[in-house]
Amino acid sequence: MRYNNAGLSEQIKCLAEGRETACSLAEKALAKADQLKELNAFVALNREVIMAQAEASDVRRKEKRCLSILDGVPIAVKDNYLTRDFPTTACSLALPEISPDEDATIVESLRNAGVVIFGKTNMHEWAYGATNSVSSFGITRNPHNRHHITGGSSGGSAAAVAAGIVAAALGSDTGGSVRIPAAACGVYGFKPSYGRASRHGILPLSWSLDSPGPIAASLDDIELLLPYFLGADPRDPTTKYSANYQSVMGRTPPRLLNLTGKFLERASHVEDAVQKALSRCNVELETKELEDVETYFAAWEAILHCEASSYHQSSMMAKPEKYHPMTLAHLEAGRQLLAVDLLKAQRLRAQFQHYLLENAQDWDALVMPTLPVTVPAIGEDWQEFGGRKVTTQDSMTWFCWLGNLSGFPSVTIPVVTDHSSGLPIGLMLMGKPGQDEELLATARWIDNQLRQVQ
Amino acid sequence: MSKELYLTEDQTKHINQTLKRIRDGLAQAKIAPVQEPAHFYLPEIFNAI
């Protein structure tokens, strides 16, 4: 579990009460990052840059001109967000051609709020994988057990939060890249609805599936960050109709729809853990068998590879040796897909959204485990569960891609630690498009009930 | 596409498996025949935002 329980809310309180300064928080985080170097969670951590931000924050606080309640809090950033004071590499040797003097919109908003941008975190190369075992900086290790992966692609961000180095970190999610590592590391991760959070300044994997999202140690901390994520940004036209974050009360008890079916199998101990957790909550729970999952998964995968390949087309042909062989193979698959494949996939995406909304209307959240297995050991290539044998990569995205193909908001909350392995198990909730706040209200209801009975 | 990449046997195998999986999945799609371009994608789904 976390080595330091000072979440974002606690750090804010300490700063306000004068029990900590921005410099003391930054010093502690730097010391912890150094102590836990073996996790390989960070790929850029410049002490001078960090302390200069912290010192400026302390001056503001002393002069009573704090920029927000977050002023002085250190937050880590995934290495695919542009940051003007740290390099951005997407953990790839095929370096992006980018301006080094620009912040992604979300980083800029946090910086304007006085947040100390606390370095860049390790990720799966170009976010094109869900294990964090492919990175130009090496594999990221799980704080719960160094022999296990963190999941990815925002594995460094999740590890940094789970280890208590920082209270929160930024991630991005194309097929679960916020939720997978958050669940694997026993923390909280939220993927907003597509079009609610600006992608400006975040290196794309697949622009119609990507969504930025926060990883934190509690839902309270996630919600503290959402004003800096949700809302319109003229530099990302898909956010044109995005409302600013506004906390709401959800329906109580919430109505959950437990999705099952072919290609939604899970290991029995994971299913038992999730069902046991849900049975401890006061929720209305129905089960629905989702049809044609294999077809919808194919649509997600087609869109992913085509868009990634399109973005990397000139670079992959000019410098193929700079890509990891598996990344290059994914990109080449995208290059070989046909226009008719992509168009069919896009039509299936529309059908999938319609199906979830029209055929199963009366729900507050769809519910599944976040992962079908407990997080695999480093070097394990295959996973067996529910009568299937699938690659570790596919096991990581097994449920999460549903949220990206539909564009619906989705959150993972840690429900239990697997007693035999000591590894965490997460529960995933998926809400309706644009109703991110309602989904979080449902998640809070469940989370509160789980914490009360623990 | 005129340019070709040099690919290893492993990469070629992975690409072929990926393409087969995608095309097999898409082939099972139960969707109505195309009527007009606007049916390809329904961005209106996000109007609720």
Side-chain angles (χ1 to χ4, degrees):
Chain A
M1 281 298 152
R2 298 186 87 237
Y3 295 85
N4 174 350
N5 289 321
L8 209 51
S9 323
E10 179 65 17
Q11 289 184 344
I12 290 167
K13 202 170 163 210
C14 287
L15 284 167
E17 292 172 357
R19 286 186 282 129
E20 295 279 9
T21 62
C23 284
S24 69
L25 286 179
E27 286 283 10
K28 282 180 187 171
L30 282 165
K32 189 153 280 183
D34 190 51
Q35 183 194 334
L36 298 170
K37 235 183 215 165
E38 61 178 336
L39 296 177
N40 205 19
F42 287 89
V43 297
L45 205 56
N46 184 320
R47 182 185 174 84
E48 278 177 26
V49 169
I50 290 166
M51 292 313 296
Q53 295 175 73
E55 282 161 18
S57 170
D58 283 337
V59 170
R60 286 194 297 271
R61 191 169 291 275
K62 202 173 171 187
E63 294 174 354
K64 299 193 186 313
R65 47 183 188 87
C66 282
L67 298 171
S68 77
I69 57 166
L70 293 180
D71 202 327
V73 168
I75 290 180
V77 177
K78 186 178 180 180
D79 197 30
N80 59 350
Y81 283 66
L82 298 190
T83 43
R84 63 171 194 246
D85 44 9
F86 292 96
T88 301
T89 73
C91 290
S92 172
L93 299 175
L95 297 176
E97 290 167 17
I98 48 160
S99 158
D101 296 326
E102 192 183 355
D103 276 339
T105 294
I106 291 168
V107 173
E108 185 181 61
S109 302
L110 288 168
R111 204 189 286 279
N112 290 341
V115 162
V116 173
I117 303 303
F118 191 84
K120 303 299 280 287
T121 57
N122 205 348
M123 59 182 280
H124 203 108
E125 183 181 56
W126 286 106
Y128 214 164
T131 61
N132 257 51
S133 51
V134 172
S135 159
S136 59
F137 293 90
I139 195 165
T140 319
R141 292 177 182 274
N142 196 307
H144 293 266
N145 183 330
R146 309 291 197 270
H147 300 294
H148 286 253
I149 60 172
T150 53
S153 62
S154 313
S157 289
V161 173
I165 298 168
V166 285
L170 311 187
S172 65
D173 191 313
T174 308
S177 284
V178 162
R179 294 160 287 159
I180 293 163
C185 293
V187 291
Y188 296 75
F190 177 60
K191 181 202 86 71
S193 296
Y194 184 80
R196 282 229 44 197
S198 172
R199 290 171 294 112
H200 175 77
I202 303 171
L203 298 172
L205 171 58
S206 173
W207 57 79
S208 73
L209 299 169
D210 295 341
S211 183
I215 294 173
S218 71
L219 278 178
D220 284 344
D221 291 357
I222 294 272
E223 293 193 60
L224 279 168
L225 292 172
L226 288 184
Y228 306 94
F229 273 83
L230 307 186
D233 174 14
R235 292 172 294 181
D236 177 354
T238 61
T239 63
K240 187 173 178 186
Y241 301 106
S242 175
N244 291 335
Y245 172 72
Q246 194 165 15
S247 182
V248 300
M249 298 289 286
R251 174 162 53 178
T252 52
R255 291 183 190 159
L256 305 185
L257 203 57
N258 180 29
L259 292 186
T260 62
K262 207 176 155 196
F263 287 96
L264 292 178
E265 299 88 352
R266 66 281 319 250
S268 56
H269 69 284
V270 171
E271 175 68 0
D272 289 348
V274 167
Q275 291 307 323
K276 201 178 275 181
L278 288 172
S279 72
R280 300 204 316 261
C281 301
N282 178 17
V283 292
E284 291 179 27
L285 185 65
E286 277 183 48
T287 296
K288 180 172 176 65
E289 193 166 325
L290 190 60
E291 295 170 1
D292 305 320
V293 174
E294 193 179 9
T295 301
Y296 293 127
F297 176 81
W300 170 77
E301 202 177 9
I303 294 165
L304 165 69
H305 293 318
C306 285
E307 291 184 358
S309 187
S310 169
Y311 176 74
H312 286 276
Q313 190 173 11
S314 58
S315 174
M316 68 185 275
M317 300 311 289
K319 45 186 178 185
E321 73 287 354
K322 299 288 187 188
Y323 291 85
H324 185 276
M326 191 51 70
T327 308
L328 193 67
H330 291 323
L331 291 170
E332 179 60 15
R335 216 167 67 100
Q336 291 186 22
L337 281 164
L338 303 174
V340 289
D341 297 325
L342 179 60
L343 289 173
K344 197 169 199 181
Q346 296 287 25
R347 296 181 67 212
L348 279 165
R349 163 150 59 180
Q351 182 173 292
F352 183 56
Q353 293 163 335
H354 184 79
Y355 173 76
L356 290 179
L357 290 174
E358 300 301 322
N359 289 356
Q361 272 188 324
D362 196 19
W363 50 268
D364 296 304
L366 306 173
V367 61
M368 288 152 277
T370 313
L371 302 172
V373 291
T374 42
V375 62
I378 291 169
E380 250 183 78
D381 291 332
W382 295 92
Q383 301 299 313
E384 290 187 55
F385 56 90
R388 292 197 182 277
K389 184 177 179 185
V390 303
T391 62
T392 294
Q393 162 64 32
D394 287 342
S395 74
M396 294 292 95
T397 56
W398 195 247
F399 300 111
C400 287
W401 63 270
L402 296 161
N404 303 84
L405 183 69
S406 63
F408 293 3
S410 187
V411 62
T412 179
I413 62 179
V415 289
V416 73
T417 299
D418 179 29
H419 291 301
S420 60
S421 64
L423 293 164
I425 291 174
L427 175 149
M428 183 166 69
L429 299 163
M430 211 162 99
K432 292 178 179 170
Q435 297 185 13
D436 300 50
E437 289 87 345
E438 287 79 356
L439 172 67
L440 286 167
T442 298
R444 181 186 289 281
W445 170 269
I446 292 168
D447 194 51
N448 284 343
Q449 307 244 334
L450 287 174
R451 307 304 145 211
Q452 274 170 19
V453 293
Q454 263 178 6
Chain B
M1 191 63 64
S2 57
K3 284 186 86 175
E4 295 297 329
L5 286 173
Y6 168 77
L7 297 165
T8 64
E9 206 174 300
D10 269 0
Q11 285 174 308
T12 306
K13 191 174 156 197
H14 176 81
I15 291 163
N16 290 339
Q17 282 172 346
T18 302
L19 293 175
K20 183 178 182 327
R21 176 162 78 173
I22 290 172
R23 290 189 173 131
D24 286 353
L26 294 178
Q28 291 174 33
K30 295 174 207 151
I31 43 178
V34 174
Q35 293 167 12
E36 44 135 335
H39 286 212
F40 288 169
Y41 182 50
L42 300 172
E44 293 86 348
I45 204 89
F46 293 106
N47 283 356
I49 293 172

